[in-house]
Each structure stands twice: as C-alpha cells, then as structure tokens.
Amino acid sequence: MKINEMNADDYLEFIRKLPIVSDECPVLKTLELCSGRWRLHVLYQLYKQSSFRFGELRRALTGITSTMLTAVLRDLIDNKMVHREQFNEIPPHVEYSLTERGKAIFPVFFEMAKWGEKYLLDGEDEE
Amino acid sequence: MKINEMNADDYLEFIRKLPIVSDECPVLKTLELCSGRWRLHVLYQLYKQSSFRFGELRRALTGITSTMLTAVLRDLIDNKMVHREQFNEIPPHVEYSLTERGKAIFPVFFEMAKWGEKYLLDGEDEE
C-alpha cells in the first residue's frame, strides 16, 4: 500500500514496523534534503512571495549571511525544489521561485502552522 | 479565523498576506524549535519506537555524536517535546519518549512521507 493512500493511523502503524535505520524511508530522505538551519525557512518564504531576488530573500531571513544563502539556494536548486531564472534586462537580475516539486511540500508547512498555532501561539500546554 | 479551522487554500492565501518578517508566524516559530540537522530526526525516531535509551537512540541516528545527541535532547526537553524518565532499577537507566506536544507534530512527518514517496522514492519528476 502506498503512503499516499494511507490515513494517519495506517501510516503510524506502518512506520512502527520499519527498521530503525532504513535507506528507503521517505521521511528520512525528505529530512536529508530539508534539514539544516535554513532550507525549510527559504522554501517557506518562497510560498509567501512567489519569487524573490537574492537581496530581498536575504533580508527576509534574519541572521543568514550571503554565503549561507548562496549555499542553501544551490542545494535547493540541485534538489530541484527551487528554480533560478536570469532576466537579461538592464540591469540584469536573477529571481528564485519554487518548482512544482518545491510547491508540493506545502502541506508540511500547513501542519507546522497548525501545530505552532496550537502549542506555541495559544500558549496552551497540556503537561 | 484560526489556522486550525482553515483548509489548505485559505491558509496559502493567509500566509501570502503575512509580513515577510513576522514574530507571530507559527511556521517560523515551529521552525525555530525544529530546525537544525537532528531535531526532527530525533522526534521521528521517537514515533517509530515509543521510548529509547540514549545509546539505542544514538545508534539509530547514523552520524550523530554523543555530545550532539545530548544537546539535541536537552533542547527538545526544554521545549517540552521530549520527556526524560529516570528508572531507579539496578542498573539505573534513563528513557526518552515524546510528550503530548511532541506527539502532536506527527502530521508534519506524515506529509513529509507522502512528499518523499512521491518525489524521492518513485523517482517521479515533473520538470
């Protein structure tokens, strides 16, 4: 059965049967692409505004350096999640936007938003 | 309107109206807690097996050092996502498990799994 056809309970049962270390685990593969201090943050900004120039994106990410942003964008482009387009106008410039593959990760942010609203903004704490 | 009452389209429209830099964004707050090379990975392992001793958990996370794992667990305990329990048996030992708050982030992994299955395991590529 495909994960995309499972409900949350099926999936929880499914992962509990996976070996602890697994090369074929789609979560671990996704985490490999997206973990690190900035990658998810960059993808998230590209949902908020559909294209960014480099300087705009750097200003949107408080605390990132140009070197770090260059490296993160290169990784995301290599992983086909971000598209880089050069505009040969005067002056020439470059814009970054999400590919279809990058756009498709949106539900991850939606779930983070729901969790964050419930546990971080509402100050609700069940412990 | 609460994010927890929105559908995905409402939410996408909502974030496009948020300021680019926002202190009140639940995704950015969630990313603050969960970003970094290992935090999501540790949480994910704690779904797969409901409690872990330190050594078991370290072996489950290929490439992590004991110092790194200690720091990650301390952060996750501080953020009330992981619970540490000391068992005063002979020999005494410690186990780590998810709190309710930690468990509630499960849908994020489910969405990563669906995305990973579609774009990383099936080798599907729409570009």
Side-chain angles (χ1 to χ4, degrees):
Chain A
M1 190 181 188
K2 290 257 186 195
I3 295 170
N4 278 286
E5 290 158 8
M6 292 180 190
N7 63 34
D9 290 338
D10 295 335
Y11 177 63
L12 191 55
E13 199 176 322
F14 169 77
I15 61 171
R16 293 213 162 132
K17 291 178 189 151
L18 281 181
I20 292 294
V21 179
S22 160
D23 282 345
E24 286 305 305
C25 171
V27 172
L28 297 183
K29 285 187 169 287
T30 303
L31 284 176
E32 233 173 82
L33 293 198
C34 296
S35 68
R37 173 78 184 80
W38 291 107
R39 291 186 207 176
L40 284 168
H41 196 154
V42 168
L43 293 172
Y44 177 63
Q45 291 298 352
L46 290 167
Y47 280 100
K48 289 173 76 174
Q49 181 177 312
S50 55
S51 83
F52 269 100
R53 299 196 189 190
F54 186 89
E56 280 179 303
L57 189 53
R58 184 167 47 74
R59 282 188 296 277
L61 299 159
T62 314
I64 203 168
T65 63
S66 294
T67 315
M68 279 147 68
L69 181 55
T70 302
V72 170
L73 284 170
R74 195 171 42 221
D75 286 343
L76 293 172
I77 292 166
D78 284 352
N79 294 329
K80 299 184 183 131
M81 299 178 80
V82 167
H83 173 69
R84 177 188 192 280
E85 187 165 5
Q86 180 147 358
F87 291 85
N88 293 318
E89 298 160 1
I90 309 230
H93 71 277
V94 169
E95 290 187 10
Y96 298 91
S97 58
L98 295 172
T99 61
E100 285 311 306
R101 184 174 163 135
K103 282 179 193 160
I105 214 165
F106 177 72
V108 167
F109 293 112
F110 187 29
E111 294 302 334
M112 285 187 176
K114 290 191 254 180
W115 185 85
E117 177 184 66
K118 184 164 181 197
Y119 292 97
L120 305 177
L121 295 188
D122 289 356
E124 187 183 318
D125 206 341
E126 73 300 329
E127 284 179 84
Chain B
M1 191 182 189
K2 290 257 185 195
I3 295 169
N4 278 287
E5 290 158 7
M6 292 180 189
N7 63 34
D9 289 338
D10 294 335
Y11 176 63
L12 191 54
E13 201 176 320
F14 169 78
I15 61 171
R16 294 215 161 128
K17 290 179 191 151
L18 282 180
I20 291 294
V21 179
S22 161
D23 282 345
E24 286 304 306
C25 171
V27 171
L28 296 184
K29 286 188 168 287
T30 303
L31 284 177
E32 234 173 80
L33 293 198
C34 297
S35 69
R37 174 77 185 81
W38 291 107
R39 291 187 209 175
L40 285 169
H41 197 154
V42 168
L43 293 172
Y44 177 63
Q45 290 298 351
L46 289 167
Y47 279 102
K48 289 173 74 174
Q49 182 177 311
S50 56
S51 84
F52 268 102
R53 298 196 188 190
F54 187 87
E56 280 178 304
L57 189 53
R58 185 167 45 75
R59 282 189 296 276
L61 300 159
T62 314
I64 203 167
T65 64
S66 294
T67 314
M68 280 146 69
L69 180 54
T70 301
V72 170
L73 284 170
R74 197 171 41 220
D75 286 344
L76 292 173
I77 292 165
D78 285 351
N79 294 329
K80 300 184 183 132
M81 298 178 81
V82 167
H83 174 69
R84 178 188 191 279
E85 188 166 2
Q86 180 146 356
F87 291 84
N88 292 318
E89 299 162 0
I90 310 235
H93 71 277
V94 169
E95 290 187 11
Y96 298 92
S97 58
L98 295 173
T99 61
E100 285 311 306
R101 185 174 164 136
K103 282 179 194 160
I105 214 165
F106 177 72
V108 167
F109 292 113
F110 188 30
E111 295 302 334
M112 284 188 176
K114 289 191 252 180
W115 185 86
E117 177 184 67
K118 184 163 179 198
Y119 292 98
L120 305 178
L121 295 188
D122 290 356
E124 187 182 320
D125 206 342
E126 73 303 330
E127 284 179 87

